[in-house]
Amino acid sequence: MSQRGKFISLEGGEGAGKSTQIAPLVAWLGERGISTKVTREPGGSPGAEEIRTLLVTGDPSRWSPVTEALLLYAARRDHVDRTIEPALAAGSWVLCDRFADSSVAYQGFAYGLGDHWVHALHESVLGSFWPDATLILDVPVELGLARAKTRHGDEDRYERMDRSFHERLREGYRAIAAHAPQRCTLIDASRDAEAVQSDMRAALVGRFPELGR
Ligand code: TMP
């Protein structure tokens, strides 16, 4: 039986540059003999992708924060059951563009449900299932929003939230990193993509020494 893979999540506010960083990270892991499954949230399984459409399109006030958190966790449970867990069991490393820390940061801190509330929901739905490592890309709000504006078509519901929402979001991510240093690394993503990639790799080597060999 192959050894269980590691579960790595990438996190950050709007325009932090997560998606740009995934391909070079996959290539680097591949050079170390590691097969990866790249996935994303909300989404990552057929059912969860359907729920994603409900979440990322339409009016910013379309859902109450509680309803939104429940939709996210319905999608997350399906994603874990059908995509993440099978890949880990087969020995692949899973690289996930957003996971539960997005709910803590967006729904818990930025919408104000509270991080304890989100943690309690998480525990009911997924028990102690959390990533093995989380890389949080941190950028000043102004820079992130300017970057985000240049992509995304109609999937812009969250980018249209007001500025204070994005400030709370950034503070939320910084609090998450401070409270879970054994799992999370905060990375300064205001620099060029190569410098960010290099810090991401160094953080993973620090957590998984087998990558440095
Ligand atoms: P994306 O832009 O990274 O594809 O993510 C879509 C949006 O979903 C993004 O603005 C953040 C939001 N989101 C939450 O609010 N809570 C969550 O738990 C997740 C996974 C995403």
Side-chain angles (χ1 to χ4, degrees):
M1 220 177 69
S2 55
Q3 206 186 358
R4 186 177 166 82
K6 304 287 185 200
F7 179 25
I8 300 165
S9 60
L10 304 183
E11 293 282 356
E14 307 302 316
K18 289 177 285 97
S19 358
T20 322
Q21 297 295 345
I22 290 176
L25 207 55
V26 168
W28 177 76
L29 288 167
E31 287 159 16
R32 279 147 189 80
I34 291 168
S35 74
T36 43
K37 169 76 190 165
V38 174
T39 186
R40 68 165 182 183
E41 288 207 348
S45 63
E49 287 290 331
E50 289 194 36
I51 298 174
R52 177 189 175 92
T53 306
L54 298 175
L55 286 162
V56 298
T57 61
D59 193 81
S61 60
R62 181 176 188 184
W63 306 111
S64 78
V66 170
T67 307
E68 184 160 318
L70 295 173
L71 285 169
L72 282 158
Y73 267 91
R76 182 160 300 134
R77 176 68 200 227
D78 193 66
H79 183 210
V80 169
D81 287 347
R82 293 171 196 255
T83 304
I84 298 177
E85 187 53 44
L88 293 174
S92 291
W93 287 37
V94 172
L95 269 188
C96 195
D97 186 342
R98 298 194 181 283
F99 190 67
D101 294 300
S102 283
S103 297
V104 177
Y106 281 77
Q107 282 65 47
F109 285 98
Y111 282 106
L113 288 177
D115 53 335
H116 292 292
W117 191 93
V118 177
H119 277 274
L121 177 61
H122 184 99
E123 200 179 344
S124 309
V125 176
L126 286 170
S128 60
F129 186 88
W130 282 87
D132 297 300
T134 297
L135 306 177
I136 301 176
L137 304 192
D138 179 54
V139 283
V141 169
E142 215 59 74
L143 176 59
L145 287 178
R147 282 182 185 168
K149 226 181 236 125
T150 59
R151 24 180 206 115
H152 277 171
D154 61 353
E155 285 199 351
D156 64 347
R157 184 170 156 256
Y158 291 92
E159 282 153 36
R160 289 190 278 122
M161 300 294 180
D162 65 23
R163 161 126 200 177
S164 63
F165 176 91
H166 293 282
E167 296 287 1
R168 292 195 298 280
L169 184 61
R170 185 179 188 208
E171 285 318 307
Y173 272 123
R174 295 169 77 92
I176 290 168
H179 287 133
Q182 69 293 352
R183 175 173 64 84
C184 300
T185 307
L186 194 71
I187 289 172
D188 173 4
S190 64
R191 299 162 305 151
D192 62 66
E194 289 72 29
V196 175
Q197 176 73 204
S198 151
D199 277 12
M200 292 170 78
R201 292 176 183 181
L204 292 180
V205 170
R207 279 163 207 284
F208 309 115
E210 66 265 39
L211 294 176
R213 286 199 282 269

